[in-house]
Amino acid sequence: MGRLVYSMFTSLDGYASDTSGSSDWGGAGDPELHDFAAEQSRGFGTYLYGRRMYETMTFWETALDVPDHPDFVRRFATVWQAATKVVYSTTLDETTTARTTLERTFDPVAVRAWVDTLDHDVTIDGPTLAAHALRAGIVDEVHPYVSPVSVGGGLPFWPEGLRLDLDLLDEHRFRGGALWLRYAVRR
């Protein structure tokens, strides 16, 4: 039975992107962080995205085509390309990456039932889509990568008004000051 995991970068003050829409402060150039994320992602056979997160992640579709990308970029690209992707969007006309399907609506009951049939974990990325899953109570674990920066505003990592009780299962500290946390959502 698969687990549904919300995993992405957040600032210390709780934003997935800042007021300009950027998340470049999240550690994109940190080889240690990328390699750790690639290793964690090996267990995710499927990524669930909203349109904006999907458009951000399409970079990884062609990352292996650029010979001068660092090895840590190439390692993550290999993991990302091997997974299937499902994009939930009412505005996207088509997907541009391999192993990707487009869904028009996010049905939490159907997603939970589907994840339960899988032999791998599924990650839900992007705070807007994840908010639907968190509010519906279908997320099993939350894996924030906390960056040592306060951005002062932007798109929140957590949906407003949502209370969750969490149990810390694991953590990893990076030399650059970031922290990965693994929490189980208490039912």
Side-chain angles (χ1 to χ4, degrees):
M1 182 162 90
R3 295 173 299 162
L4 184 60
V5 178
Y6 174 33
S7 177
M8 65 179 304
F9 289 94
T10 179
S11 63
L12 189 58
D13 58 343
Y15 293 96
S17 60
D18 60 28
T19 56
S20 71
S22 175
S23 59
D24 290 343
W25 40 262
D30 183 338
E32 178 193 17
L33 204 150
H34 261 276
D35 282 341
F36 182 87
E39 191 58 37
Q40 293 300 311
S41 296
R42 288 188 197 288
F44 299 129
T46 307
Y47 299 112
L48 307 183
Y49 294 126
R51 180 190 53 83
R52 283 182 294 193
M53 182 55 69
Y54 171 69
E55 288 172 344
T56 298
M57 297 302 286
T58 59
F59 164 82
W60 299 105
E61 183 71 10
T62 58
L64 294 174
D65 299 341
V66 179
D68 61 343
H69 274 316
D71 287 343
F72 71 91
V73 170
R74 301 178 72 71
R75 284 189 290 271
F76 187 83
T78 300
V79 172
W80 188 85
Q81 289 178 14
T84 57
K85 280 73 78 180
V86 180
V87 182
Y88 294 91
S89 175
T90 59
T91 59
L92 195 65
D93 292 327
E94 63 184 0
T95 61
T96 58
T97 56
R99 303 177 53 91
T100 306
T101 58
L102 179 61
E103 295 287 337
R104 295 295 175 199
T105 58
F106 180 79
D107 178 351
V109 173
V111 169
R112 179 74 257 172
W114 170 65
V115 170
D116 286 345
T117 68
L118 299 175
D119 62 357
H120 64 266
D121 292 337
V122 175
T123 182
I124 187 162
D125 299 317
T128 305
L129 182 63
H132 295 297
L134 288 163
R135 284 192 177 106
I138 65 169
V139 174
D140 299 300
E141 293 188 8
V142 180
H143 299 182
Y145 288 82
V146 182
S147 297
V149 62
S150 175
V151 298
L155 183 60
F157 177 84
W158 297 104
E160 187 174 332
L162 177 71
R163 179 192 165 102
L164 286 178
D165 292 316
L166 305 169
D167 292 318
L168 182 63
L169 302 175
D170 199 2
E171 65 181 71
H172 181 85
R173 297 172 191 269
F174 299 94
R175 288 185 295 274
L179 180 65
W180 173 80
L181 301 167
R182 178 179 169 222
Y183 290 102
V185 176
R186 207 178 296 158
R187 301 283 180 219

